[in-house]
Amino acid sequence: MSDSGTDASGSLIPMDLYDRVTAQGDKVRVLKSEKAPKEEIDVAVKLLLALKVDYKNVTGQDYKPGVPPADDMPTNSNGPSTTDNGDDFVDPWSVQTGSAKGVDYDKLIVRFGSSKIDQELVDRIQRVTGQKPHHFLRRGIFFSHRDMHQVLDAYENKKPFYLYTGRGPSSEALHVGHLIPFIFTKWLQEVFNVPLVVQLTDDEKYLWKDLTLEKAYQYSIENAKDIIACGFDVNKTFIFSDLEYMGKSSGFYQNVVKVQKHVTFNQVKGIFGFTDSDCIGKISFPAIQAAPSFSSSFPEIFKGRKDIQCLIPCAIDQDPYFRMTRDVAPRINYPKPALMHSTFFPALQGAQTKMSASDPNSSIFLTDTAKQIKNKINKYAFSGGKDTIEEHRQFGGNWEVDVSYMYLTFFLEDDERLEQIKQDYSSGALLTGELKKILIETLQPLIAAHQERRKHITEEAVKQFMMPRKLAFDF
Amino acid sequence: MSDSGTDASGSLIPMDLYDRVTAQGDKVRVLKSEKAPKEEIDVAVKLLLALKVDYKNVTGQDYKPGVPPADDMPTNSNGPSTTDNGDDFVDPWSVQTGSAKGVDYDKLIVRFGSSKIDQELVDRIQRVTGQKPHHFLRRGIFFSHRDMHQVLDAYENKKPFYLYTGRGPSSEALHVGHLIPFIFTKWLQEVFNVPLVVQLTDDEKYLWKDLTLEKAYQYSIENAKDIIACGFDVNKTFIFSDLEYMGKSSGFYQNVVKVQKHVTFNQVKGIFGFTDSDCIGKISFPAIQAAPSFSSSFPEIFKGRKDIQCLIPCAIDQDPYFRMTRDVAPRINYPKPALMHSTFFPALQGAQTKMSASDPNSSIFLTDTAKQIKNKINKYAFSGGKDTIEEHRQFGGNWEVDVSYMYLTFFLEDDERLEQIKQDYSSGALLTGELKKILIETLQPLIAAHQERRKHITEEAVKQFMMPRKLAFDF
């Protein structure tokens, strides 16, 4: 999976663009030195020139190798990747919005053809599980779904299902936004008591990034530790690296080939925007993200059963993969996977920007110290407060664009306290510094606890989670 | 592998075209019933109409479902797939020539950029191995190579290499032409004493044909029995089905991904003629045929070593796969595989036609009885003889276009006797019926012996050959 939309490329942040121009320049040099086909070099050079034009449009300056953009450069949000009609742009590698409040999710539901997670569905989940809905559900952070009522119908009839989520291991360090799907998946697993499979798409990262296979696999192992540290039950959870598991399961590859037979290049071109210059690995990769949606990809867990329904909690930017998967499923006689989609996790700098794993200041990382957390939030968290204390007291702050408040909706579980914070901030009773302090005091212990749990996860424990095996369920 | 060019599509034989129109009609019906995307249906319908036009051009009649073409229909060799300049047309799925003598192989060497297996190389093989060269070498049946001198240099310096060949299991029944690469590979293995890997591309056949995965795998097992019956040594030979082995070896998939990262859609479009309407499985398949060229695809055999040179004996139509492989190899730090190419095995009806697995009369099958062999050769083997005995005695027969004589070059090992037959046939001393009788008496015991060996190959023996394991070589 491509990182749940949180470190995708296609950004218009000057530093991201600078990195892309630099990377593309490197690529052109490599192609030339390897005497690649002229056609391929031409395409790469064209992209390089286009990126340089973008860079100049956004920063107002020419790209200079070795001279990164200054922090205070203006950003131009009317870049080349926004849609013509000003809609938000969302695909697995890129999220664009012009609004400080973030993406318009109701519009996205209409465009993607999914369904809203409304109060009726939230109430039904509470009724069926007998548990208070997770605050991600109560607060609309998981806001969209496909076929959840069908999953619940089956569950009420004692028919099993399983959970599938994933992560693209593009670096060692995860940030707090990466935890969202795992926190929610863990809750789903606990209230429904179902098996979970977690795909680490190290093959994808090898194909898309300038990484060796060995490095991509190593990121898988490091990322698996962070996932395990979320508290998953080893008896109910299978975590796998594509690079490793493909060679350990006949079921997985056979489902990959089945999907690959039923999807044309025209289709992936339309869905993912691939071009003739993309490598054949990228072009066929969507089948690899699709295959875990089918229970026969895991013969050890499901005893070869092909009919176990799958439910996929993921960020909305991953939906294109699963629209494709749902299109193919009936043609290969498998049930369509159901989905629950989350909103995007905003960068510290604001909801219209995106986090970048290469920019340590764009988010709070799971490796940050208490002091780093404090400094980053105080220095970078975009504020909805007024310029002076006097104005703030008089007019109040704007919680809708305030990143500290947004982060609290993700990590502060107490509904009443959150509501009080919103009111106090809007009224001006709560100052920006005070709001940031609440966020700091919420995140510091949460991350310290994660670090403590992660520290105790041994290589042996990782091996256990990643070993193909029967789980604590009978099929 | 796509059957070493012997049952490829693209033929202009009326019966083949009839089969293709029928299959395409079926495909359109399936697409419509599955409510496939309109675009996909349109493409399929266009191909159907084009095939019907071809059929009419070739047979002079409209295609009628359920009414196959009559045997004596005229064939028009100026079909849509020949090259504009009248050259032979060769790719992994199609071989076209207008000449009764068959493809012009010297021209092919120039076009493909390979090297001729000349007398010097044949002599060197004899010198290095101390063995009389196989009659396929003596008679130019294996006629072209890449880097064979490099393989021999290394061999003389005690550096190991390994053999890789394969087969696309598109049906249960092999014909005698399918044996050519295996007979030669067995000889190479014996004289050089090296490991051999045999790839059964059941995934390819699933992707290209109207087959289930289960059926394709079953063909792999049945074909493996015929390969084993050629007499390979289980201690030196690993036979694998892609559908099975991909799930048993991390090394294989990792090499597939490495190749997939370094080949673009533009490249496979140029090499294999893929289009935007092809499924992503076909588009990425060439990487799967490429991967066994690298020793690290077989960690059990080569202990993870990446530097063991590979030599691939195959029919010349498979060369495009390995041109691509040789292009990628240095970019992923692997040695380029060396190759030895064979000519095509002619259909009974003549060297300008092709054998079709769906037409039992186009060749001698390994399942044919002695009586069937006799009848087929007498009835169908294209003759270079004259119309009457009197004319034949006076002017002699034309061995260059005589299929019985061609078959003898493959299967009659005695050089002197073969030369005598050629002279006697050319002079008119040997009649067509007598020539056919020699071929019949050559093939009958050869095929009976094959059937006898195959009968004794147990499921257990197949399992042994197909189990990933160490072979009788130390690396």
Side-chain angles (χ1 to χ4, degrees):
Chain A
M1 297 215 176
S2 33
D3 294 356
S4 303
T6 44
D7 72 348
S9 61
S11 156
L12 292 170
I13 301 171
M15 192 62 211
D16 284 3
L17 263 177
Y18 175 82
D19 288 346
R20 289 180 69 195
V21 176
T22 309
Q24 189 64 23
D26 290 345
K27 189 176 168 187
V28 168
R29 267 186 297 282
V30 169
L31 285 174
K32 285 183 176 171
S33 77
E34 285 176 343
K35 300 204 168 56
K38 187 177 171 303
E39 192 176 26
E40 207 179 324
I41 294 175
D42 287 349
V43 169
V45 169
K46 270 186 199 154
L47 179 55
L48 177 61
L49 296 177
L51 283 169
K52 285 185 174 173
V53 170
D54 285 356
Y55 183 83
K56 182 152 191 188
N57 285 342
V58 167
T59 65
Q61 305 191 0
D62 283 325
Y63 167 84
K64 282 185 199 130
V67 185
D71 263 354
D72 54 359
M73 275 187 181
T75 65
N76 170 2
S77 64
N78 289 319
S81 301
T82 46
T83 60
D84 291 343
N85 53 9
D87 276 351
D88 303 322
F89 181 86
V90 175
D91 79 7
W93 300 278
S94 181
V95 179
Q96 299 273 330
T97 178
S99 164
K101 297 179 196 172
V103 170
D104 184 331
Y105 291 107
D106 283 332
K107 267 195 185 170
L108 218 53
I109 286 174
V110 174
R111 257 174 53 211
F112 280 20
S114 61
S115 306
K116 189 170 178 142
I117 296 186
D118 52 15
Q119 195 54 45
E120 189 200 335
L121 178 57
V122 175
D123 291 345
R124 190 176 174 201
I125 291 173
Q126 173 155 15
R127 219 165 43 240
V128 169
T129 64
Q131 304 281 329
K132 182 178 176 188
H134 193 275
H135 67 274
F136 289 173
L137 279 176
R138 302 199 303 269
R139 297 177 192 165
I141 287 171
F142 272 80
F143 71 102
S144 156
H145 77 100
R146 297 183 187 275
D147 287 347
M148 260 314 281
H149 282 290
Q150 189 186 306
V151 169
L152 294 173
D153 288 346
Y155 184 77
E156 287 183 315
N157 288 316
K158 311 282 178 214
K159 283 198 190 142
F161 71 95
Y162 73 102
L163 293 164
Y164 158 36
T165 191
R167 154 151 186 83
S170 55
S171 71
E172 248 169 73
L174 275 69
H175 55 63
V176 287
H178 290 135
L179 291 182
I180 307 307
F182 294 106
I183 291 171
F184 188 63
T185 299
K186 178 167 180 278
W187 180 81
L188 287 172
Q189 183 181 37
E190 283 171 358
V191 301
F192 287 103
N193 190 31
V194 288
L196 162 65
V197 299
V198 180
Q199 181 182 46
L200 300 170
T201 55
D202 40 14
D203 47 358
E204 178 206 9
K205 292 304 159 189
Y206 168 75
L207 289 167
W208 259 263
K209 307 250 169 187
D210 184 18
L211 277 182
T212 63
L213 272 182
E214 292 69 24
K215 196 77 194 163
Y217 177 69
Q218 190 194 320
Y219 287 162
S220 278
I221 301 298
E222 292 307 313
N223 287 191
K225 288 181 189 165
D226 279 301
I227 294 166
I228 294 167
C230 292
F232 290 102
D233 182 344
V234 69
N235 296 311
K236 298 179 179 177
T237 306
F238 174 48
I239 302 176
F240 63 101
S241 130
D242 286 345
L243 290 173
E244 180 177 74
Y245 184 58
M246 193 71 80
K248 291 193 168 179
S249 163
S250 53
F252 188 28
Y253 178 60
Q254 291 178 14
N255 280 340
V256 167
V257 178
K258 278 193 183 183
V259 176
Q260 287 182 342
K261 181 169 177 166
H262 293 87
V263 176
T264 65
F265 180 62
N266 266 325
Q267 290 172 304
V268 293
K269 203 161 68 168
I271 300 170
F272 302 102
F274 295 145
T275 71
D276 288 14
S277 311
D278 277 312
C279 74
I280 59 176
K282 286 187 184 181
I283 290 167
S284 58
F285 173 76
I288 292 170
Q289 187 155 329
S293 312
F294 307 125
S295 61
S296 53
S297 294
F298 307 98
E300 295 84 359
I301 301 173
F302 301 107
K303 299 277 171 56
R305 277 187 66 176
K306 298 175 178 180
D307 60 338
I308 314 291
Q309 163 109 56
C310 175
L311 169 60
I312 305 170
C314 63
I316 185 75
D317 64 330
Q318 298 297 306
D319 190 64
Y321 283 113
F322 301 114
R323 284 204 297 274
M324 183 200 87
T325 308
R326 288 167 54 88
D327 197 49
V328 170
R331 299 165 67 197
I332 56 178
N333 295 315
Y334 289 150
K336 291 183 181 184
L339 287 129
M340 295 182 89
H341 303 117
S342 69
T343 61
F344 301 113
F345 191 78
L348 279 175
Q349 286 75 6
Q352 77 274 52
T353 65
K354 284 200 321 299
M355 282 175 292
S356 160
S358 60
D359 178 2
N361 295 325
S362 69
S363 186
I364 307 298
F365 282 77
L366 298 180
T367 45
D368 285 348
T369 62
K371 197 176 164 191
Q372 284 174 313
I373 295 170
K374 184 179 163 190
N375 287 344
K376 278 193 195 176
I377 292 173
N378 281 332
K379 188 164 177 193
Y380 298 108
F382 184 81
S383 168
K386 296 295 179 289
D387 289 344
T388 64
I389 294 188
E390 291 69 29
E391 274 185 85
H392 191 83
R393 293 285 187 213
Q394 188 177 351
F395 302 107
N398 181 0
W399 60 270
E400 282 191 292
V401 301
D402 191 285
V403 169
S404 299
Y405 179 78
M406 290 181 198
Y407 274 35
L408 284 174
T409 65
F410 284 89
F411 294 108
L412 185 68
E413 286 189 38
D414 186 332
D415 288 343
E416 281 176 33
R417 187 159 175 230
L418 187 70
E419 182 56 33
Q420 192 62 51
I421 290 167
K422 187 203 274 186
Q423 285 182 14
D424 291 349
Y425 194 60
S426 301
S427 73
L430 192 71
L431 296 176
T432 290
E434 292 165 337
L435 176 60
K436 288 192 172 188
K437 187 157 178 279
I438 298 172
L439 176 62
I440 291 164
E441 287 170 357
T442 302
L443 281 182
Q444 279 175 337
L446 192 143
I447 288 177
H450 182 90
Q451 289 170 355
E452 183 61 23
R453 286 192 303 270
R454 192 186 192 283
K455 210 166 62 184
H456 293 100
I457 290 160
T458 60
E459 299 294 323
E460 191 47 45
V462 175
K463 263 190 201 150
Q464 277 179 27
F465 270 96
M466 297 183 72
M467 183 187 300
R469 72 215 123 92
K470 186 181 180 307
L471 299 179
F473 300 92
D474 281 320
F475 287 98
Chain B
M1 297 215 177
S2 36
D3 295 356
S4 304
T6 43
D7 72 348
S9 61
S11 157
L12 293 171
I13 301 171
M15 191 61 210
D16 284 1
L17 263 177
Y18 175 82
D19 288 346
R20 290 180 69 195
V21 177
T22 308
Q24 190 62 24
D26 290 345
K27 189 178 169 185
V28 168
R29 266 187 298 282
V30 169
L31 285 174
K32 285 183 176 171
S33 76
E34 285 176 345
K35 301 204 169 51
K38 188 178 171 301
E39 191 176 27
E40 207 179 326
I41 296 176
D42 287 351
V43 169
V45 168
K46 269 186 199 155
L47 179 56
L48 176 62
L49 296 177
L51 284 168
K52 283 185 175 174
V53 169
D54 283 355
Y55 183 85
K56 184 152 190 185
N57 284 344
V58 168
T59 65
Q61 301 190 2
D62 284 322
Y63 167 84
K64 282 185 199 133
V67 185
D71 265 352
D72 54 359
M73 275 188 182
T75 65
N76 170 1
S77 63
N78 289 317
S81 301
T82 44
T83 60
D84 290 344
N85 54 7
D87 275 351
D88 303 322
F89 179 87
V90 176
D91 78 7
W93 301 277
S94 182
V95 180
Q96 299 272 333
T97 177
S99 163
K101 296 179 194 169
V103 169
D104 183 329
Y105 291 106
D106 284 333
K107 269 196 186 171
L108 219 52
I109 285 175
V110 174
R111 258 176 49 212
F112 280 20
S114 60
S115 305
K116 187 167 179 145
I117 297 185
D118 52 17
Q119 195 55 45
E120 187 201 338
L121 178 57
V122 175
D123 291 344
R124 187 174 176 202
I125 291 173
Q126 174 154 15
R127 216 162 47 238
V128 169
T129 65
Q131 303 282 328
K132 182 178 178 189
H134 193 274
H135 67 273
F136 289 173
L137 279 177
R138 303 198 303 268
R139 294 174 194 167
I141 288 171
F142 272 79
F143 71 103
S144 157
H145 78 99
R146 296 183 188 274
D147 287 346
M148 259 315 280
H149 283 289
Q150 187 186 307
V151 169
L152 295 173
D153 290 345
Y155 183 78
E156 287 183 315
N157 288 316
K158 310 285 179 210
K159 284 203 189 138
F161 72 93
Y162 72 102
L163 294 163
Y164 158 39
T165 191
R167 159 155 180 80
S170 55
S171 70
E172 247 168 75
L174 275 68
H175 54 64
V176 287
H178 289 135
L179 291 183
I180 306 307
F182 294 105
I183 291 170
F184 187 62
T185 299
K186 178 167 181 278
W187 181 81
L188 287 172
Q189 184 181 35
E190 285 170 358
V191 301
F192 287 102
N193 189 33
V194 288
L196 163 65
V197 298
V198 181
Q199 180 182 47
L200 301 168
T201 55
D202 39 15
D203 47 358
E204 178 206 8
K205 292 303 160 191
Y206 168 75
L207 289 166
W208 259 264
K209 307 249 171 188
D210 185 18
L211 277 184
T212 62
L213 273 183
E214 292 71 25
K215 196 78 194 166
Y217 177 70
Q218 189 193 319
Y219 288 160
S220 278
I221 302 297
E222 290 309 312
N223 287 192
K225 289 180 189 167
D226 278 302
I227 294 166
I228 294 167
C230 292
F232 289 102
D233 181 343
V234 70
N235 295 311
K236 300 179 179 178
T237 306
F238 174 49
I239 302 176
F240 63 101
S241 131
D242 285 344
L243 290 173
E244 181 176 73
Y245 183 57
M246 192 71 79
K248 291 192 170 180
S249 163
S250 54
F252 189 28
Y253 178 60
Q254 291 178 14
N255 279 340
V256 167
V257 178
K258 278 192 183 185
V259 176
Q260 286 182 343
K261 180 168 179 166
H262 294 86
V263 177
T264 66
F265 181 64
N266 266 325
Q267 289 171 305
V268 293
K269 202 161 71 168
I271 301 170
F272 303 102
F274 294 144
T275 71
D276 288 13
S277 310
D278 276 312
C279 73
I280 58 175
K282 286 187 185 180
I283 290 167
S284 58
F285 173 76
I288 293 170
Q289 187 154 329
S293 312
F294 306 125
S295 60
S296 53
S297 294
F298 307 97
E300 294 84 0
I301 301 173
F302 301 107
K303 300 276 168 63
R305 278 187 64 174
K306 298 174 176 182
D307 61 336
I308 315 291
Q309 163 109 55
C310 176
L311 168 61
I312 305 170
C314 64
I316 186 75
D317 64 330
Q318 299 296 306
D319 189 64
Y321 282 112
F322 301 115
R323 283 204 298 274
M324 183 199 86
T325 307
R326 287 168 54 89
D327 197 48
V328 171
R331 299 167 64 198
I332 55 177
N333 296 315
Y334 289 150
K336 291 182 180 188
L339 287 127
M340 296 183 89
H341 302 118
S342 70
T343 61
F344 300 112
F345 190 81
L348 281 174
Q349 286 75 6
Q352 76 274 53
T353 65
K354 284 201 321 299
M355 282 176 294
S356 161
S358 60
D359 178 3
N361 294 326
S362 68
S363 187
I364 306 297
F365 283 76
L366 298 180
T367 45
D368 284 348
T369 61
K371 197 175 162 191
Q372 284 174 315
I373 294 168
K374 182 178 166 191
N375 287 344
K376 279 192 194 177
I377 292 172
N378 281 333
K379 191 165 173 191
Y380 298 107
F382 185 81
S383 168
K386 296 294 179 292
D387 289 344
T388 64
I389 294 186
E390 292 68 28
E391 276 184 87
H392 190 86
R393 292 286 187 215
Q394 189 177 351
F395 302 107
N398 181 359
W399 59 270
E400 283 192 290
V401 301
D402 191 285
V403 170
S404 299
Y405 178 78
M406 290 180 198
Y407 274 34
L408 284 174
T409 65
F410 284 87
F411 295 107
L412 185 67
E413 288 188 36
D414 185 332
D415 289 341
E416 281 178 32
R417 187 159 177 230
L418 188 69
E419 182 55 34
Q420 192 62 50
I421 289 168
K422 187 203 274 190
Q423 286 182 14
D424 289 350
Y425 193 60
S426 301
S427 74
L430 191 71
L431 296 177
T432 290
E434 293 165 335
L435 176 61
K436 287 190 171 190
K437 188 156 176 283
I438 298 172
L439 176 63
I440 291 163
E441 287 170 355
T442 303
L443 282 182
Q444 278 175 337
L446 191 144
I447 287 177
H450 181 91
Q451 289 169 355
E452 184 60 21
R453 286 192 304 270
R454 191 186 193 284
K455 210 166 64 184
H456 293 99
I457 290 161
T458 60
E459 300 293 324
E460 191 49 44
V462 175
K463 265 191 202 151
Q464 278 178 26
F465 271 96
M466 296 183 73
M467 183 186 301
R469 73 216 122 93
K470 186 181 181 307
L471 299 178
F473 301 92
D474 281 319
F475 288 97

